[in-house]
Amino acid sequence: MALSFNSMMTFPSHNLLSKSHNLRSPKIFMASTLHSSAKERENLKKSFLPPREVHVQVKHSLPPQQIEIFKSLEDWADKNILVHLKPVEKCWQPQDFLPMPESDGFFDQVKELRERAKEIPDDYFVVLVGDMITEEALPTYQTMLNTLDGVRDETGASLTSWAIWTRAWTAEENRHGDLLNKYLYLSGRVDMKQIEKTIQYLIGSGMDPKTENNPYLGFIYTSFQERATFISHGNTARQAKEHGDLKLAQICGTIASDEKRHETAYTKIVEKLFEIDPDGTVLALADMMKKKISMPAHLMYDGQDDNLFKHFSAVAQRLEVYTARDYADILEFLVGRWNIEKLTGLSGEGCKAQDFVCRLPPRIRRLEERAQGRAKQSSTVPFSWIFGREIKV
Ligand SMILES: [Fe+2]
Ligand SMILES: [Fe+2]
């Protein structure tokens, strides 16, 4: 795959890192609104963004002949990908799992929900909130899919199979954040205003998946992510059951089964790319793995904790909802799913990429074990989502 790097620096946020606290202060925010010098307008813009890593953003790395592949796969996608969507009339809706507001028993149902939630520890709620916030940043993920050359929804109502998939996928995903958000609201266990602020910050920040408008990279990313969410919702389901809350287990398990369906669709697209263009696809996979798959909510911020995502991830790791081992397992699964070891007819670069990817899962595991061995004594961190109570990370 010939990568033509059309590079551009990201938003210049070097200053943001050093001034981030001041920039977020409401006083500065007010001043910026009242006066509108160029500097103040710039500061106002920065006040929406949390601290972030600054790096070169590569754009439009896929050459036109490879973009054409996606146009030629229109009919194939129609027959093979859209079938993994569920008709709306057959889909579950959040209301199927929540107290019925129109019923006389509503308050009793809420009371029961809250009684069950009392048995669940704080650290579980931190992870569930983080998962919900990740789902609630859905506008960002639809935007990300629509950055991809050759498959984006060109009009907002395009009738290509790719555009239909993206819109219907988004519509299915929309139920996930909706259901978890309503459940958490009713549970009474979490600080909804802090959670809502985190969602607003996160959507405002976007995400940086390093997919370069390139649908090869984009669909490798989504294959990985759908499996990651399948695993983490599956684990919150299992743990809810262990805490005695079968209804919450059902909520998380139902979401997990949607993620599994999405994983099937995205991995099928990449499987097809391997069939048509094994060299280009294995290079894309190696490229994505070298850059590391960043989690969709990696820019999470609640207005207080500059390391919120790191802290949330540490709790998810400790509770074994989503771990570094899962990351290695997902890659190993995808290597098997796409039969990477058996690819033939690759270029020299392609062979190197194949070798790199096949050896990577055990390497990640070894690094992880070493990191665990070196890990310092655990500390505790306050989470605004649970009213500042401290959680072990
Ligand atoms: Fe989801
Ligand atoms: Fe999904």
Side-chain angles (χ1 to χ4, degrees):
M1 179 175 63
L3 292 180
S4 63
F5 285 165
N6 177 6
S7 308
M8 205 188 95
M9 287 301 291
T10 47
F11 185 74
S13 44
H14 307 281
N15 294 338
L16 174 63
L17 293 174
S18 53
K19 295 180 187 167
S20 55
H21 285 287
N22 287 339
L23 290 172
R24 288 191 202 110
S25 107
K27 245 190 242 166
I28 298 285
F29 191 89
M30 283 290 286
S32 305
T33 326
L34 296 173
H35 310 287
S36 55
S37 74
K39 177 131 187 67
E40 280 162 349
R41 283 200 305 277
E42 189 70 358
N43 283 349
L44 175 65
K45 194 157 87 175
K46 287 176 187 173
S47 74
F48 297 116
L49 300 171
R52 63 170 72 196
E53 202 186 317
V54 181
H55 67 89
V56 174
Q57 294 191 346
V58 181
K59 299 198 292 181
H60 305 290
S61 63
L62 199 67
Q65 64 272 27
Q66 276 171 311
I67 294 170
E68 280 306 310
I69 291 178
F70 291 90
K71 301 216 170 106
S72 71
L73 286 176
E74 265 290 317
D75 283 349
W76 174 85
D78 190 25
K79 291 189 193 81
N80 294 277
I81 299 303
L82 298 188
V83 291
H84 294 290
L85 293 165
K86 258 196 182 174
V88 176
E89 295 303 328
K90 289 189 178 159
C91 273
W92 60 266
Q93 297 299 336
Q95 190 51 60
D96 300 336
F97 302 94
L98 294 164
M100 290 164 68
E102 71 276 28
S103 110
D104 289 341
F106 176 69
F107 292 108
D108 288 336
Q109 291 163 25
V110 173
K111 213 171 147 203
E112 282 164 29
L113 184 153
R114 291 163 78 96
E115 285 301 318
R116 289 193 301 272
K118 273 185 192 156
E119 304 302 314
I120 300 174
D122 270 345
D123 49 12
Y124 177 95
F125 272 104
V126 165
V127 175
L128 194 65
V129 166
D131 287 353
M132 178 270 260
I133 288 166
T134 306
E135 294 285 352
E136 288 284 61
L138 184 59
T140 298
Y141 315 138
Q142 189 178 32
T143 301
M144 179 258 173
L145 284 167
N146 282 328
T147 67
L148 301 177
D149 294 333
V151 295
R152 73 170 58 84
D153 184 345
E154 298 279 358
T155 64
S158 161
L159 295 177
T160 68
S161 308
W162 302 112
I164 291 169
W165 164 267
T166 296
R167 289 194 303 272
W169 170 85
T170 306
E172 284 197 2
E173 285 286 342
N174 189 50
R175 301 167 305 145
H176 300 173
D178 193 358
L179 174 54
L180 290 174
N181 195 323
K182 283 178 178 143
Y183 165 81
L184 284 163
Y185 169 80
L186 291 172
S187 78
R189 289 288 306 273
V190 294
D191 186 334
M192 282 311 294
K193 181 154 181 182
Q194 277 305 121
I195 292 169
E196 287 159 349
K197 269 173 64 178
T198 313
I199 295 169
Q200 187 173 356
Y201 271 120
L202 184 58
I203 295 175
S205 298
M207 73 189 286
D208 188 6
K210 305 190 180 97
T211 44
E212 309 174 6
N213 311 97
N214 178 330
Y216 281 54
L217 300 178
F219 290 135
I220 288 167
Y221 181 87
T222 53
S223 297
F224 195 101
Q225 273 312 329
E226 291 290 355
R227 187 157 180 89
T229 49
F230 161 66
I231 290 169
S232 68
H233 290 307
N235 283 330
T236 51
R238 181 176 49 78
Q239 291 184 19
K241 196 172 163 197
E242 285 163 11
H243 294 303
D245 192 335
L246 295 182
K247 294 230 166 146
L248 179 57
Q250 197 189 11
I251 286 174
C252 298
T254 303
I255 295 172
S257 71
D258 271 8
E259 310 294 19
K260 183 79 199 159
R261 213 159 26 80
H262 299 160
E263 175 206 309
T264 304
Y266 284 122
T267 53
K268 226 166 148 182
I269 297 172
V270 179
E271 181 186 37
K272 189 71 181 166
L273 293 176
F274 270 113
E275 193 186 305
I276 299 172
D277 179 13
D279 216 51
T281 316
V282 78
L283 285 171
L285 178 58
D287 181 40
M288 212 56 227
M289 295 318 300
K290 275 178 197 153
K291 291 187 287 199
K292 295 200 183 83
I293 303 275
S294 58
M295 293 297 128
H298 65 127
L299 297 174
M300 179 186 274
Y301 179 61
D302 61 351
Q304 297 178 14
D305 182 355
D306 283 348
N307 293 306
L308 181 59
F309 182 73
K310 191 174 141 209
H311 292 147
F312 154 64
S313 304
V315 182
Q317 167 96 22
R318 184 170 61 74
L319 262 59
E320 300 198 337
V321 170
Y322 185 75
T323 66
R325 187 181 300 248
D326 290 318
Y327 186 96
D329 288 351
I330 293 170
L331 176 59
E332 193 167 70
F333 170 85
L334 293 175
V335 165
R337 168 75 181 77
W338 295 324
N339 252 316
I340 312 280
E341 281 179 12
K342 304 237 165 69
L343 293 176
T344 52
L346 300 176
S347 66
E349 284 299 296
C351 287
K352 271 192 221 157
Q354 178 186 36
D355 196 48
F356 168 75
V357 169
C358 291
R359 287 168 192 257
L360 195 53
R363 263 181 60 198
I364 297 172
R365 285 195 197 102
R366 274 199 304 276
L367 286 173
E368 172 53 22
E369 275 159 26
R370 255 182 266 161
Q372 289 285 327
R374 283 198 306 270
K376 288 180 288 174
Q377 288 269 311
S378 62
S379 52
T380 61
V381 167
F383 279 87
S384 70
W385 303 337
I386 50 165
F387 308 96
R389 289 195 291 273
E390 303 257 339
I391 294 292
K392 205 163 103 186
V393 290

